[in-house]
Amino acid sequence: MSDLPSQPIRFVLSDMDGTLLHPDHSLSQRTIDTVRALRAAGVFFSLASGRPPKAMRQQVEALGIDVPIAGFNGGTLVNPDGSILVAHHLPAEAALVALALFTPQPDVEVWLFADGDWLRRDPGGPMAVREEHGLGYPAIVVESFEPFLDRVDKIVAASTNTQLLVELEAQLQPRVEGLAQVSRSQPVFLDVTAMKANKGEALKTLAAHLGVPLEQTAAIGDGGNDPAMFHVAGLSIAMGQAEEVVKRQASVVTGSNVDDGAAEAIERFILSAD
């Protein structure tokens, strides 16, 4: 863990699921009030999520966010008016390698996101039901992913067999090295995105867009895709329920999402800072 920053924080970039949101995908009033207090203090606040941007709209509205957000782990940055600021697509070569590895696995549901839509080829399983609840809209069932390979936002292997996803991550990493990012956004989701589709690049781009030095930024998260932004932020905050490997890469560790740990950290380390 690094020392706390000596400079005031002017921009906070936060993960959503497992960080700002409770397990039922809700935002607590404390979190809403804390983010609004940040904005009233002149601190920019935005979201970085593995979700498609359109599945972040409800939270953006509830939190009053008026700066660009980062969807697909940073693969797509969207302006407040819905226009695209930046988009990074997964190379077709990497997509084919990932699909070839994931598809034969009986315990894995394979999803592809393209054009901002959630696509699947099978009738769906328990993970699809969970994802639909989280995103707020259903997948589009397609016969083949092939027509979409030139514009893939993200590929996901979803499974309750978390150890299998750990093994698949280790197998896929060397096969797509230099072509794609592979990370578990949550224990049950293994995400494959473009090389620049990561939250670290998103933080750099958004900070530059807002005119904020990286030393004056903070990042909050809980998943395997969050250390990418921890490594470039002036202050990095890991959630209390995060895996140890994630916590070790943060400046500080706060409470769990159930206990509004993100709001606690913002109150303690940013709003109360001298």
Side-chain angles (χ1 to χ4, degrees), residues 127-210:
M127 298 306 298
V129 174
R130 168 179 171 157
E131 184 75 346
E132 182 172 341
H133 174 68
L135 296 183
Y137 59 87
I140 298 172
V141 179
V142 296
E143 291 186 5
S144 171
F145 289 147
E146 186 174 352
F148 306 94
L149 292 180
D150 63 340
R151 54 191 189 279
V152 176
D153 295 308
K154 181 176 70 167
I155 291 174
V156 179
S159 178
T160 56
N161 187 339
T162 56
Q163 182 55 39
L164 174 59
L165 294 185
V166 171
E167 295 168 2
L168 291 174
E169 180 179 11
Q171 293 175 42
L172 184 58
Q173 287 277 14
R175 300 185 192 183
V176 296
E177 186 175 0
L179 292 173
Q181 297 273 349
V182 184
S183 63
R184 286 179 299 124
S185 55
Q186 296 184 47
V188 294
F189 296 139
L190 178 59
D191 295 351
V192 186
T193 55
M195 282 300 295
K196 287 196 172 182
N198 67 78
K199 295 184 180 182
E201 290 293 330
L203 178 55
K204 292 177 185 178
T205 302
L206 292 175
H209 179 76
L210 297 170

Side-chain angles (χ1 to χ4, degrees), residues 23-40:
D24 64 356
H25 305 293
S26 66
L27 278 168
S28 72
Q29 191 59 49
R30 179 184 180 185
T31 296
I32 293 172
D33 291 343
T34 301
V35 171
R36 289 178 176 171
L38 265 184
R39 296 177 67 246

